[in-house]
Amino acid sequence: MVATIKDVAKEAKVSIATVSHVLNHTRYVSPELVERVNSAIEKLNYYPNMLVGGLRSKQTYSIGLVLPSISNETFGKLAETIQKLLLIENYNLIVCNTSNDYDLEISALNTLIMKSVDAIIIIPSTHNAEKIVEVQNRGIPVILVDRDIEDLDASRVKVDYKKATYNAVNYLIDNGHTEIGYIDRAKELSHSMEQRDGYLSALKDANIEINPKNYIRCEGYDYLDGVNAIQQLIKKNPMLSAVLAYYDVIALGAIRGAVDAGYSVPDDLSVIGCDNMPFTSALVPRLTTINFPIEEISKAVIDLVMMALNNSKEKKNIIVDGKLIVRDSVTKPRVSNRGL
Amino acid sequence: MVATIKDVAKEAKVSIATVSHVLNHTRYVSPELVERVNSAIEKLNYYPNMLVGGLRSKQTYSIGLVLPSISNETFGKLAETIQKLLLIENYNLIVCNTSNDYDLEISALNTLIMKSVDAIIIIPSTHNAEKIVEVQNRGIPVILVDRDIEDLDASRVKVDYKKATYNAVNYLIDNGHTEIGYIDRAKELSHSMEQRDGYLSALKDANIEINPKNYIRCEGYDYLDGVNAIQQLIKKNPMLSAVLAYYDVIALGAIRGAVDAGYSVPDDLSVIGCDNMPFTSALVPRLTTINFPIEEISKAVIDLVMMALNNSKEKKNIIVDGKLIVRDSVTKPRVSNRGL
DNA sequence: ATGAAAGCGCTAACAG
DNA sequence: CTGTTAGCGCTTTCAT
C-alpha cells in the first residue's frame, strides 16, 4: 500500500542500505545510484517512517512540552515559538497540558516516556521533583521553564520576577503611591514567592510600612477572580490607590471590578499587570504591565535543548529580564498619601 | 539501561509474548503469571515503547492537528479541548502551526505522515485540496474543521457562519441601525464568504441599501489592524453607527480606534465581534459577539475522528450554531437614520 | 563503492 | 494456557 524503503530499493535496483544512506547522507553513494534512488522515492511517493529510527535506539526527533495550559495566550504563544524554533532543527513538539494538576503532569510525563521523546521541556506545576528525576534517570534531558524546582540538577530558563516586580512597585512609589495592593496567586509556586519578595522589598526599601490589608490571594485565572479580588481589597482598604496583579487577565478583572465599584482607572486606582498579553495594549486605558519575553525565553530554551541533545552533561541557568512596559494605567494618586 | 519487554520477561521468568499479552489484555494469562509480570514491570520501572506498536503497521495513537496558530486564544483553547478529549481515548496530539501559510501546511502534513499519525485534524489555510488528498490516499483519515475545502471527500465540522452573521446584523437592524459597517478578513476563506453572505442577506432582507463605504477588508489579526480599519471606515462614512468585525481582536481594535477618534462606544458606535474570546466579557463596554462553540466543535471532531479510526468509510458533515452573545457594546443609534 | 544481514522492541500467528 | 518465532521499516556493522 504505502511504499517502504524496500519498495524504493527494488524500484531503484539497489540495496536498502544504499537507500538509507542516500536518505541520511551517511556514506558516499555514487551519483548514478543517488539519482536512481531519488527518482524511485519520487515515483513511489516515499516518506521515511520517523518512528523506526527511534527503534534503533536513536533519536525520535520528538520533543515533549509539558505546561499548564496552551489556551492561556502567553503559554500558547510560548509553545508556538518554541515549536517554530524546534522545527528549524527538524524536531517536532508534542504538547501536553497539565491544568496545573500534578497527576496530569505525571501522566503527561509517562506518555512522553512511552513516546520516546528526545527531551522534555516543562513548566512544572508543583515543587515535586520525583517524577522528573525518574525521567532524567531514563536518559531524557529535562529543561525547566519559568517555574523552578529546587535541588533539581537540570537546566533552566527563568524570568527574574523579583527584580521585575521590584521595579514595577518602585515605579508606583515614584509616582507617589504608598497604598499599593498586590493580588497574588493562591498556589505557592516559585515565581509567586519571587514576585512577593520583590513587592515587599520595594516597599521596605522605600520605608513604606507593609499593610496586610493591601495583600490578597486570588484563586483562579479568570478575570472574574480579579473582579472579586479588587473589590475585596477596596473594601479592606479604601485608601488603596494602586494595585499590582500577577497576571494581565487578573489586572483586566481588577479594572473591571474597580469600574463597577464606581472607581475611575487610572485616576482613582492605578493598575499594573503581568505578562504583556496582546490585548493589554488595546485596553482603555492601555495597561502598564511586566513583559514576559517570549522570544528570548524560547531561544534560550532551544539553546538548552540542543545542548542537552548534544550529550552535554553541563547544566545551565538562564535568567531573562521582565521589563516594565509603561502605558496608561498608572498615574499619580489624586491625593498623595505619602507620609500619612 | 532502560528496561525492555525482554528484561521484564526474564525477570518474571515468562516469555515476552506473555508480557505483551498481560500489557494489552489480549489473551488469557493465569493470575500467577499476571502477578509475576506486574511485579517485574514495577521492579524494573518498565514503560512500553509506543512507537514500536506502530511498526507492526498498527496504530501509533498519535493524532495530528494542523492549524494556523495556537497562540490565537480561540484556536489554542480548541487545541487544548481536543487534546483533552483525545487523551480520554488514549490518543496523543501532535500540533503543527501553519501561520496560514500553504508551504508550512504542506511541511506539517509531511511531518505527520512521517510520524505515522492515525488521523489528521486540520483547519486548512487554503482551498487547495491536493496535499490533503495525498494524505487520504495514504490511508490517513482527515477531518476538516472550521474552514471548508470544496469537493473534498472528508468529514467536517463547521460553524454556520452565514446564519450567525445574519442574526448579528439583524440584531443591529432591530436596534435601529441602518449604516452598518463590516470589517472583513483580507484572505478569501470559506468562512469569510459565508459571513459576508450573511451580512449582505440581512441587509437585503431588511431592504437596506448596500453601501460599499461600509465595507472594508483588513489585513492582519492584530488589534492595530482593527484600529486602522475603523478609522478608515469612519472617514469613508461619517454616518456609520454600527460595525461588525470578523474577529474579537479586530473588534477590540475598532473600539480603541473609535475612542481615539473621539467616538464613544457604544453610544456613537455599536460594535459586534466574533469568537467570544475570554477578554471580551471583561471589556468596558462588555463586547457583544458571536460565539465560537469550542466544546461542541471539539466533541464533534472527536466523534468524527473516532468514527474514521473505526475504519468507517462514511463521511459526515456536522454544522454547529454560532449564537449571538448579547452584552453592552450595542445600543440604539443616537439619531436613527432609518429611512434617510 | 555497495550489499547482506543482524537486530531495535514489540505483536501476533503458530505450535504445543 | 503459554512459549517460539517471524516479521514491522529501518540503521548499521560486517563483508566484499
Side-chain angles (χ1 to χ4, degrees):
Chain A
M1 198 191 91
V2 169
T4 72
I5 198 171
K6 245 187 197 160
D7 304 315
V8 175
K10 192 183 290 177
E11 173 73 28
K13 296 186 210 305
V14 297
S15 71
I16 57 170
T18 299
V19 177
S20 174
H21 285 121
V22 169
L23 284 169
N24 303 301
H25 309 284
T26 164
R27 85 177 178 197
Y28 179 88
V29 178
S30 69
E32 306 105 281
L33 291 204
V34 171
E35 175 51 29
R36 292 219 308 263
V37 169
N38 283 330
S39 323
I41 286 173
E42 189 146 349
K43 179 169 174 205
L44 299 177
N45 206 6
Y46 167 74
Y47 289 85
N49 181 337
M50 295 182 80
L51 303 185
V52 269
L55 229 197
R56 299 278 307 168
S57 81
K58 280 234 325 156
Q59 298 186 67
T60 57
Y61 288 95
S62 291
I63 306 279
L65 173 63
V66 179
L67 39 60
S69 157
I70 52 164
S71 66
N72 167 318
E73 213 174 347
T74 303
F75 287 152
K77 185 84 192 158
L78 183 68
E80 186 171 322
T81 310
I82 288 177
Q83 193 201 36
K84 278 181 182 154
L85 294 174
L86 236 28
L87 205 59
I88 296 170
E89 313 280 346
N90 251 299
Y91 284 84
N92 284 103
L93 201 57
I94 301 182
V95 183
C96 299
N97 293 290
T98 64
S99 310
N100 273 313
D101 180 278
Y102 188 57
D103 290 336
L104 283 177
E105 185 171 302
I106 291 194
S107 85
L109 255 14
N110 281 337
T111 300
L112 294 175
I113 288 174
M114 296 193 285
K115 293 258 173 189
S116 308
V117 293
D118 296 336
I120 292 178
I121 302 162
I122 183 170
I123 302 181
S125 54
T126 64
H127 290 295
N128 196 329
E130 202 180 318
K131 186 71 192 180
I132 294 184
V133 169
E134 183 193 329
V135 168
Q136 292 179 315
N137 287 341
R138 300 184 82 87
I140 305 175
V142 175
I143 284 61
L144 248 46
V145 184
D146 195 42
R147 302 175 185 174
D148 207 354
I149 297 180
E150 281 178 45
D151 305 324
L152 190 70
D153 180 33
S155 286
R156 309 164 155 72
V157 182
K158 287 171 54 184
V159 174
D160 190 339
Y161 282 115
K162 177 171 177 185
K163 184 170 149 198
T165 309
Y166 185 93
N167 287 342
V169 173
N170 242 341
Y171 173 73
L172 290 171
I173 295 171
D174 286 348
N175 268 277
H177 294 274
T178 54
E179 294 296 328
I180 298 171
Y182 181 47
I183 305 177
D184 197 358
R185 30 168 86 62
K187 199 163 188 183
E188 198 64 57
L189 292 161
S190 70
H191 55 346
S192 8
M193 305 191 321
E194 290 172 32
Q195 283 184 278
R196 198 163 53 239
D197 215 13
Y199 165 73
L200 295 173
S201 305
L203 293 179
K204 198 169 149 236
D205 289 357
N207 288 315
I208 296 175
E209 203 184 335
I210 278 119
N211 182 351
K213 286 186 180 161
N214 291 343
Y215 178 81
I216 192 168
R217 307 187 80 161
C218 170
E219 208 43 67
Y221 295 89
D222 190 278
Y223 88 94
L224 287 172
D225 300 310
V227 170
N228 188 36
I230 193 66
Q231 293 187 343
Q232 283 189 251
L233 229 37
I234 288 171
K235 205 182 294 170
K236 289 204 290 180
N237 180 9
M239 299 295 286
L240 192 81
S241 69
V243 69
L244 203 85
Y246 67 88
Y247 175 41
D248 282 337
V249 172
I250 299 298
L252 174 65
I255 293 177
R256 178 81 240 182
V259 167
D260 288 349
Y263 281 56
S264 165
V265 174
D267 295 329
D268 300 320
L269 182 76
S270 290
V271 177
I272 294 184
C274 185
D275 271 11
N276 189 23
M277 291 170 79
F279 71 83
T280 58
S281 58
L283 293 179
V284 187
R286 297 173 219 266
L287 187 69
T288 292
T289 182
I290 294 169
N291 189 41
F292 184 76
I294 293 175
E295 288 284 339
E296 200 181 343
I297 292 172
S298 305
K299 277 182 191 141
V301 167
I302 301 305
D303 285 350
L304 295 182
V305 170
M306 291 306 143
M307 197 175 91
L309 254 26
N310 290 325
N311 291 314
S312 163
K313 286 280 153 254
E314 190 197 343
K315 302 295 191 305
K316 223 164 142 186
N317 237 318
I318 299 182
I319 311 275
V320 301
D321 259 4
K323 296 209 168 46
L324 187 68
I325 312 282
V326 174
R327 289 198 279 245
D328 313 332
S329 63
V330 172
T331 54
K332 298 194 184 309
R334 280 217 158 125
V335 179
S336 172
N337 325 317
R338 185 171 269 276
L340 288 195
Chain B
M1 196 192 91
V2 169
T4 74
I5 198 170
K6 247 187 196 161
D7 304 314
V8 175
K10 191 183 290 177
E11 173 73 27
K13 298 187 208 307
V14 298
S15 70
I16 57 169
T18 298
V19 177
S20 173
H21 286 120
V22 169
L23 284 169
N24 304 299
H25 307 285
T26 164
R27 86 177 177 196
Y28 180 88
V29 179
S30 70
E32 305 106 282
L33 291 203
V34 171
E35 176 51 30
R36 293 218 309 263
V37 169
N38 282 330
S39 320
I41 286 174
E42 189 145 347
K43 180 171 174 202
L44 299 177
N45 207 5
Y46 166 74
Y47 289 86
N49 181 336
M50 294 181 81
L51 303 184
V52 269
L55 229 197
R56 299 278 309 168
S57 81
K58 280 234 324 155
Q59 298 186 66
T60 57
Y61 287 94
S62 291
I63 306 280
L65 173 63
V66 179
L67 39 60
S69 156
I70 52 163
S71 66
N72 165 318
E73 213 175 346
T74 304
F75 287 153
K77 184 84 191 157
L78 183 68
E80 186 171 323
T81 310
I82 288 177
Q83 194 202 36
K84 279 183 181 153
L85 294 174
L86 236 30
L87 205 59
I88 296 173
E89 313 280 346
N90 253 299
Y91 283 84
N92 284 103
L93 202 58
I94 301 181
V95 183
C96 300
N97 293 290
T98 64
S99 310
N100 274 313
D101 180 278
Y102 188 57
D103 291 336
L104 283 177
E105 185 171 304
I106 291 192
S107 85
L109 257 11
N110 281 337
T111 300
L112 294 175
I113 288 174
M114 295 193 285
K115 293 259 173 189
S116 307
V117 293
D118 296 334
I120 292 177
I121 302 163
I122 183 170
I123 302 181
S125 55
T126 65
H127 290 294
N128 196 328
E130 202 180 319
K131 187 70 192 179
I132 293 185
V133 169
E134 183 193 329
V135 168
Q136 293 180 313
N137 287 341
R138 299 184 83 86
I140 304 175
V142 175
I143 291 29
L144 248 47
V145 183
D146 196 42
R147 303 176 184 172
D148 207 354
I149 296 180
E150 281 178 44
D151 304 324
L152 190 71
D153 181 32
S155 287
R156 310 164 153 75
V157 182
K158 288 171 53 184
V159 174
D160 190 340
Y161 282 114
K162 176 169 176 186
K163 184 169 149 198
T165 310
Y166 185 94
N167 288 341
V169 173
N170 241 341
Y171 173 72
L172 290 171
I173 294 171
D174 287 347
N175 269 277
H177 293 275
T178 53
E179 294 296 328
I180 299 171
Y182 182 46
I183 304 177
D184 198 359
R185 29 167 87 61
K187 199 162 187 184
E188 199 63 56
L189 292 161
S190 69
H191 55 347
S192 9
M193 305 193 319
E194 291 171 31
Q195 284 185 279
R196 198 164 52 240
D197 215 13
Y199 166 73
L200 295 173
S201 304
L203 294 180
K204 199 170 147 234
D205 289 357
N207 287 315
I208 297 174
E209 204 183 334
I210 278 119
N211 183 351
K213 287 185 178 161
N214 291 343
Y215 179 80
I216 192 167
R217 306 188 81 163
C218 171
E219 208 44 67
Y221 294 90
D222 190 278
Y223 89 94
L224 287 171
D225 300 310
V227 171
N228 188 35
I230 193 66
Q231 293 186 345
Q232 283 190 251
L233 228 37
I234 288 171
K235 205 182 294 169
K236 288 205 290 179
N237 180 8
M239 299 294 287
L240 192 80
S241 69
V243 68
L244 204 84
Y246 68 88
Y247 176 40
D248 282 337
V249 172
I250 299 299
L252 175 66
I255 293 176
R256 178 82 239 181
V259 168
D260 288 350
Y263 281 56
S264 166
V265 175
D267 295 329
D268 299 321
L269 183 75
S270 290
V271 178
I272 294 183
C274 185
D275 271 12
N276 189 23
M277 290 169 80
F279 71 83
T280 57
S281 58
L283 292 179
V284 187
R286 298 173 217 266
L287 186 68
T288 293
T289 182
I290 294 168
N291 188 41
F292 185 76
I294 292 175
E295 288 282 339
E296 200 182 343
I297 292 172
S298 304
K299 278 184 192 141
V301 168
I302 301 305
D303 285 349
L304 295 182
V305 169
M306 290 306 142
M307 197 174 91
L309 253 27
N310 289 325
N311 291 311
S312 164
K313 286 280 153 253
E314 191 197 342
K315 303 295 190 305
K316 222 162 142 187
N317 237 318
I318 299 182
I319 312 274
V320 301
D321 259 5
K323 294 208 169 46
L324 187 69
I325 311 281
V326 174
R327 290 199 279 245
D328 312 332
S329 64
V330 172
T331 54
K332 298 195 185 309
R334 278 214 160 126
V335 179
S336 172
N337 324 320
R338 186 170 269 277
L340 290 194

